[in-house]
DNA sequence: GCTTGACCCTCCCGCTACGTCAGGCTCCAG
DNA sequence: CTGGAGCCTGACGTAGCGGGAGGGTCAAGC
């Protein structure tokens, strides 16, 4: 019965779609995906149309819709396969955008933490922003357990001692001093020296914190002049340093082609 | 009791973190987040530390971990706030990467559908790839209901009649003929004419299907020569057209700075 | 022809992460 | 001193399956 012209058995479908037989039973019971036919013995027989439907079910489910909502979407007589693909593409792009925002918020928090700036309680939750995504649930460990990012994160986690943190802080302070010195010496932020210092700043983040792209660096730059707490913190080293460093960072990013 | 120095009430925390009071009760009961103190009357009193913990709980939960797993992550005595932020950043980046792969797979499916190519059952599910992400659950409609991508998708959905599809198909055919003609005339794919035709190809997708960036267009190009079904389909118009168009598309994308 | 093992069926109970009352105490404003 | 908003603790309900019991089905091999 392994997928002849007569159709697919539950087991076949389960293997193909990587879901459990139980799930298919469930979808049958709630009427979300009922195979067209049955064998005389009562075995479920799925056709290609059922597979298509299942594929869409899994997609929308993965995007966080309840099975009821999935049913509503799929049973809309107006949407063609094309419409579904377009809708799926649009939904994905939107999700990606939201995640990138979240990542940016995390970068923001990292900067704040790095510089010892206290965020207000509400602010901490703004992470999940106004268009709060929330849960995309399930999976986790077994899946995430062997993902690269997870391992990377695990590998680094706990590998810094207090000494390390002190060293990093000292390096950062030293860099700030050099930047302040350049500024005091009348160097232009978008000059050679300025851009080099900005690049050192970026490298310091890369080496000690996370992969800081030029895009991220630009984001941090605007933080430095846009968020008064960051500005204040930097200007403590030398007045005007936040702005100068901001300009240098932008110039450096631009020089690098961003 | 609205957040004095004595702490926050459940209601306060619920408002700040945008979760329900019931959720906080639940977390208390299972020992995931128990407020440090209580008032004489038994009212829960949360401190800033509890808020921090809650924030992390919500983050990891949103990333698909079960509450048990979240507890394990948070109660690891080795991870500092810094580690958490780094871990979160890594997890987000990974998720984004996975979603982008999925989006690419959808683009692939769109191309296949557009050209009437039949994917094998298994192939349809490869969408969810080897590192099948799966569910990030919940929310949906109320949230997604008013998201831009959703509206865009809804707006376009069902707005194409059979006539429209015929027109689009005819336009595509006509374009293919023009490309074949250019090729027959001995034009170089990376010449002015080739790149212009490639750009028309891209525009045709943009106008009728989805926002086709140069990156996506490059992806489609490799599909044209990499997937024999696409190649065959295009070479039906004129032998060698798939390769020629591929080269033209790459040249055009490169000209545009990608 | 008969067994055996891989599948299939239908209940049905269990689990997670809460939602949603119900019944009752507490607290501050007016 | 009273009303209403807010807090408490059960306790039951729900979604989306997981997992097992108890039993029929089917092609392969002896």
């Amino acid at each position: 019965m392994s997928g002849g012209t007569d159709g697919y058995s539950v087991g076949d479908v389960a293997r193909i779609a990587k879901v459990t037989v139980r799930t298919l039973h469930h979808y049958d019971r709630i009427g979300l995906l009922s195979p067209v036919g049955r064998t005389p013995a009562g075995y479920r027989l799925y056709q290609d149309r059922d597979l298509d439907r299942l594929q869409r079910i899994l997609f929308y489910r993965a995007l966080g819709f309840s099975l009821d909502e999935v049913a509503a979407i799929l049973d809309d007589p107006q949407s063609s396969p094309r419409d579904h693909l377009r809708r799926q593409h649009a939904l994905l792009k939107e999700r990606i955008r939201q995640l990138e925002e979240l990542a940016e918020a995390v970068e923001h928090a990292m900067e704040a933490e790095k510089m010892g700036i206290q965020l207000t309680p509400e602010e901490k939750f703004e992470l999940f922003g106004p268009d709060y995504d929330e849960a995309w649930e399930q999976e986790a460990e077994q899946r995430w357990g062997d993902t690269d990012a997870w391992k990377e994160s695990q590998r680094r986690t706990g590998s810094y001692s207090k000494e390390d943190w002190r060293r990093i802080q000292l390096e950062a302070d030293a860099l700030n001093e050099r930047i302040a010195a350049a500024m005091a010496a009348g160097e232009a932020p978008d000059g050679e020296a300025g851009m080099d210092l900005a690049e050192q700043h970026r490298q310091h983040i890369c080496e000690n914190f996370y992969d800081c792209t030029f895009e991220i660096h630009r984001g941090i730059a605007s933080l430095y002049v846009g968020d008064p707490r960051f500005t204040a913190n930097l200007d403590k080293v030398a007045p005007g340093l936040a702005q100068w460093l901001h300009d240098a960072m932008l110039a450096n990013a631009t020089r690098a082609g961003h």
Side-chain angles (χ1 to χ4, degrees), chain A:
Chain A
M1 189 142 318
S2 281
T5 40
D6 45 344
Y8 309 88
S9 71
V10 261
D12 294 336
V13 177
R15 263 187 302 280
I16 295 175
K18 289 166 202 156
V19 296
T20 68
V21 171
R22 183 64 182 80
T23 299
L24 294 173
H25 283 172
H26 185 60
Y27 290 172
D28 189 0
R29 178 118 81 166
I30 65 174
L32 179 55
L33 179 67
S34 299
V36 248
R38 294 267 183 143
T39 69
Y43 285 24
R44 289 174 180 80
L45 275 183
Y46 294 86
Q47 306 296 133
D48 279 343
R49 309 188 302 107
D50 298 320
L51 287 184
D52 285 350
R53 187 177 171 87
L54 177 55
Q55 198 270 327
R56 272 167 214 146
I57 290 172
L58 296 182
F59 186 94
Y60 289 115
R61 186 193 66 168
L63 276 170
F65 295 94
S66 74
L67 297 188
D68 275 1
E69 289 163 347
V70 171
I73 295 175
L74 293 185
D75 293 338
D76 173 9
Q78 301 232 288
S79 0
S80 70
R82 263 182 191 95
D83 297 327
H84 281 296
L85 287 171
R86 270 217 316 270
R87 201 207 311 275
Q88 291 172 357
H89 194 255
L91 286 171
L92 280 174
K93 286 297 182 182
E94 177 68 11
R95 269 283 208 245
I96 291 173
R97 202 189 53 70
Q98 293 181 357
L99 284 189
E100 275 167 351
E101 263 182 36
L102 233 182
E104 217 170 290
V106 172
E107 285 154 17
H108 183 141
M110 284 171 124
E111 274 301 300
E113 208 276 341
K114 195 154 79 70
M115 299 179 67
I117 289 173
Q118 268 294 69
L119 297 172
T120 68
E122 284 83 357
E123 229 169 347
K124 287 175 186 165
F125 288 94
E126 269 169 25
L127 232 167
F128 298 96
D131 52 354
Y132 190 12
D133 327 330
E134 157 141 334
W136 349 319
E137 284 303 317
Q138 289 175 20
E139 292 284 311
E141 268 261 87
Q142 317 121 307
R143 303 283 184 188
W144 287 106
D146 51 12
T147 197
D148 284 352
W150 177 259
K151 271 185 291 197
E152 225 274 36
S153 155
Q154 285 293 50
R155 192 177 56 71
R156 284 196 163 187
T157 280
S159 64
Y160 284 173
S161 65
K162 291 224 157 119
E163 314 295 297
D164 286 329
W165 287 117
R166 259 187 56 77
R167 174 187 53 77
I168 292 169
Q169 191 56 51
L170 286 178
E171 281 172 21
D173 289 347
L175 180 54
N176 281 340
E177 290 298 342
R178 289 207 299 285
I179 295 169
M183 186 177 74
E187 292 279 358
D190 56 349
E192 198 66 34
M195 293 192 289
D196 284 350
L197 285 166
E199 180 59 18
Q200 286 179 40
H201 180 269
R202 196 179 68 85
Q203 288 298 338
H204 185 251
I205 297 177
C206 286
E207 283 157 26
N208 296 301
F209 297 98
Y210 53 91
D211 178 30
C212 180
T213 64
F214 288 102
E215 249 108 349
I216 294 177
H217 210 214
R218 289 183 81 107
I220 296 174
S222 52
L223 213 58
Y224 283 177
V225 296
D227 187 322
R229 288 165 308 187
F230 282 93
T231 315
N233 202 299
L234 285 164
D235 282 7
K236 250 186 346 206
V237 179
L241 189 126
Q243 183 66 51
W244 196 92
L245 179 54
H246 162 270
D247 295 347
M249 286 161 76
L250 284 197
N252 181 53
T254 304
R255 164 172 71 172
H258 290 263

